[in-house]
Amino acid sequence: MPSPRSADHPAVSSPQRDTVDSLISQTRRLRGGLDAVRRDTAADPGGADDARLRWQRALCELAVHQLDDLGRHLGELREGLPADHPETDAEASRAGTAPEAGTAAEAGAAAGSGAAGRAAGGAEATGGARTGRGSLLSRVGSAEWNLLTDEVTWSDELFRIFGRDPGDGGLTLDELPSWVFAEDQPILTGMVTDCLVDGKPIDGEFRVVRADEVVRTIHMAGEPVLDDDGGTASMWAVLRDVSELRRSERAVRESRDTLRHQQRIARTERRLAVEAREAVLPPWRGSLRLPSGDGFPGAGPAAGGAALDLAAHCLPSESGDRIGGEWYDALELPDGRTLLSVGGLTGHGVAATCGMAMLLGAVRGMAVAGIEPGSLMGRLNQLLAVSAQPSLVGAVCGQYDPRTRTLVWAQAGHPAPLLFRQGTGRPLRSPAGVLLGATAGAAYAQAEERLEPGDLLVLHTGRLAREAEGATERLLTLAPRLTAARSPQECVRIVAEAFGDEPRESDACVLIARVAGTGA
């Protein structure tokens, strides 16, 4: 039955049809755009269960529910209640009002408060609005509990929400809590008590378990109906099934929490990867002349030898988050030669940096033991063949003798060092060598190059640009500037400026060595 106070309020006037049509058109355009976004988020060719994609899909589903509700609501608002509906006319006559537009009233019911909302409840209680399974109105019902007569009036929609046979009648205020989750019963009791005793409006949610064991989340909004003496005569409420909406919100929340957790893990892994790399790479930045005779007994260039001035730099990836297994290294060997190496493992994160640390340790150890670059590469390949976590590695390893100004070097699927002399540059001719870890038993040749005072060697990991060949060509165009630079550190700055904005999927390292001594 309609609220006794509904006669105090005029019927809601029908909105202008063209205004509603315009709103419907806008909603359809939004829905079409959302469908396109939803298709994009649903496309996961790799089948990866990515937290960010799940979060995006959940947000799209939530937006779909909201727009679908809005579209149905506007459509029903445009149609209005049929003027010749007999039950509506009869109920309106008894209430002393004209028939109200059903979906305009529904708008108030969905809002859940105020005169428009109570008018919606009256319209729904009569069954005057057309409803269907899955429509907006089928998820919104109304009820009134008369405290003077103990009469309970439920709309047809409310019976459907509760899965209750209308022949059994509506639940009384004493019976209703038995359908509610035990932990939600205090919520319902508090709302009803505040309404009946203190005259406060009702606004809250609780979960019910229907007779068919289906759980529904119900939003209840309403207010007390007062008699002429100001006492509470009845309690009126609109109840909306918000189960689908809450499920969508929960999916968004859970996906967001998962994404945040994975982001925290990613930040931790990145920090560990950075610390692992910084722990093993040379602890110097900028120009440095390797110590003479301080590293190993008898070490250091012989009299008249041409030592190296060195500088190195690591350029970060485009995102700054993909810490890989790239390295650069320079080490003075016991016999006075200088080890120069650059390289990189496939992959990113802690596993890649730990693998890099293992390989770099092996390179240093074998070089200190006097193993030549070609043989050194072959043994590194054997080491990767028996590794528990096999990976592919590209590397260059050279040993420079300052007494003869000779560089002996080998490579494994890696760009050759670049030699700059008198304003021009060229890549050194590469000896044979495949990627480390690509095939067992691979042989690695080595090449020899005699350098001149003032020569500049540039070793890089090949990821300065998207294509390694492109990086080599661009470095060669810098020849006039590099050979004119006063120090290797200035050369590093020139390279960093040239490649600093280059989009890279991983970090890139560059090692620059200049022959600083005079010839023998």
Side-chain angles (χ1 to χ4, degrees):
M1 61 180 268
S3 168
R5 298 185 64 194
S6 61
D8 298 337
H9 302 276
V12 178
S13 59
S14 299
Q16 293 293 327
R17 187 179 183 87
D18 55 350
T19 302
V20 177
D21 285 341
S22 176
L23 291 173
I24 290 175
S25 298
Q26 294 180 44
T27 303
R28 287 174 178 170
R29 286 196 296 271
L30 286 172
R31 186 64 164 78
L34 181 59
D35 280 338
V37 174
R38 186 164 60 162
R39 285 193 297 272
D40 291 341
T41 58
D44 188 10
D49 189 19
D50 182 75
R52 183 178 293 275
L53 282 177
R54 292 200 304 274
W55 177 61
Q56 291 172 344
R57 286 196 291 266
L59 281 176
C60 285
E61 293 300 325
L62 177 59
V64 164
H65 285 311
Q66 300 281 18
L67 283 178
D68 285 347
D69 272 359
L70 178 61
R72 295 189 191 101
H73 192 172
L74 290 173
E76 292 158 345
L77 180 64
R78 180 180 61 180
E79 294 173 3
L81 272 176
D84 58 351
H85 198 291
E87 293 183 3
T88 304
D89 291 342
E91 288 295 320
S93 298
R94 286 195 294 271
T97 64
E100 297 182 331
T103 50
E106 156 57 16
S113 62
R118 291 189 289 105
E124 286 177 14
T126 66
R130 292 189 299 258
T131 62
R133 183 174 299 276
S135 72
L136 180 65
L137 291 181
S138 69
R139 297 200 299 273
V140 182
S142 62
E144 187 162 358
W145 291 272
N146 192 308
L147 305 182
L148 303 179
T149 64
D150 292 332
E151 181 182 5
V152 179
T153 304
W154 276 23
S155 68
D156 293 340
E157 291 76 21
L158 192 55
F159 281 106
R160 282 192 286 270
I161 291 173
F162 275 76
R164 185 174 174 84
D165 188 343
D168 295 334
L171 296 172
T172 66
L173 291 177
D174 292 332
E175 296 171 330
L176 184 59
S178 65
W179 285 59
V180 178
F181 268 47
E183 54 265 39
D184 292 352
Q185 289 178 4
I187 298 174
L188 175 63
T189 301
M191 288 193 300
V192 172
T193 300
D194 289 345
C195 180
L196 298 182
V197 177
D198 300 327
K200 295 181 179 179
I202 301 171
D203 190 357
E205 288 186 10
F206 51 86
R207 292 163 297 171
V208 300
V209 183
R210 306 191 326 181
D212 57 4
E213 297 186 355
V214 173
V215 177
R216 311 303 294 176
T217 301
I218 307 298
H219 179 267
M220 183 175 181
E223 57 189 37
V225 179
L226 307 180
D227 57 22
D228 294 337
D229 297 329
T232 302
S234 62
M235 187 181 80
W236 175 91
V238 167
L239 296 93
R240 185 181 184 190
D241 184 350
V242 294
S243 304
E244 293 183 14
L245 178 61
R246 296 298 173 255
R247 275 197 296 269
S248 296
E249 290 174 341
R250 185 165 58 252
V252 170
R253 185 170 57 252
E254 291 173 352
S255 298
R256 183 176 60 243
D257 292 343
T258 300
L259 178 59
R260 288 175 176 171
H261 177 65
Q262 292 188 352
Q263 288 174 336
R264 287 194 295 270
I265 293 176
R267 286 195 296 269
T268 300
E269 289 184 346
R270 184 184 186 282
R271 177 177 56 81
L272 293 175
V274 170
E275 291 177 353
R277 185 172 67 181
E278 292 183 348
V280 296
L281 293 187
W284 44 265
R285 302 292 185 269
S287 183
L288 177 75
R289 183 185 296 270
L290 289 176
S292 176
D294 294 333
F296 295 96
L308 294 177
D309 284 339
L310 299 165
H313 185 65
C314 186
L315 285 76
S317 64
E318 184 177 15
S319 66
D321 295 329
R322 298 173 65 83
I323 306 299
E326 289 73 28
W327 82 81
Y328 59 84
D329 192 32
L331 178 68
E332 187 180 14
L333 301 177
D335 60 4
R337 292 185 298 172
T338 300
L339 170 69
L340 303 175
S341 70
V342 296
L345 284 73
T346 55
H348 300 86
V350 177
T353 54
C354 289
M356 177 270 290
M358 177 196 72
L359 284 177
L360 187 53
V363 169
R364 290 171 174 173
M366 286 188 282
V368 168
I371 298 176
E372 293 290 319
S375 298
L376 188 152
M377 287 292 189
R379 297 185 185 186
L380 278 181
N381 190 57
Q382 294 175 348
L383 176 64
L384 285 173
V386 297
S387 174
Q389 295 182 336
S391 60
L392 297 177
V393 180
V396 165
C397 179
Q399 295 175 3
Y400 170 74
D401 190 337
R403 291 159 294 203
T404 61
R405 298 194 308 275
T406 301
L407 175 71
V408 178
W409 68 285
Q411 64 83 31
H414 197 278
L418 303 180
L419 173 61
F420 294 87
R421 178 183 296 168
Q422 298 179 353
T424 62
R426 64 177 175 86
L428 301 182
R429 180 174 296 180
S430 294
V434 300
L435 283 171
L436 299 173
T439 179
Y444 294 85
Q446 64 185 32
E448 183 174 311
E449 187 78 23
R450 183 174 174 82
L451 304 179
E452 299 294 336
D455 280 356
L456 194 73
L457 282 175
V458 176
L459 289 71
H460 64 96
T461 55
R463 295 183 178 179
L464 290 171
R466 287 189 180 274
E467 301 294 336
E469 294 79 5
T472 296
E473 293 301 322
R474 287 172 59 183
L475 283 169
L476 291 176
T477 63
L478 300 176
R481 297 178 61 191
L482 293 177
T483 55
R486 293 185 300 271
S487 67
Q489 181 57 33
E490 185 176 341
C491 294
V492 163
R493 285 196 294 268
I494 293 172
V495 173
E497 291 172 0
F499 293 90
D501 296 331
E502 182 74 18
R504 283 178 293 274
E505 295 182 358
S506 184
D507 295 347
C509 296
V510 58
L511 174 65
I512 297 179
R514 170 172 282 172
V515 180
T518 58

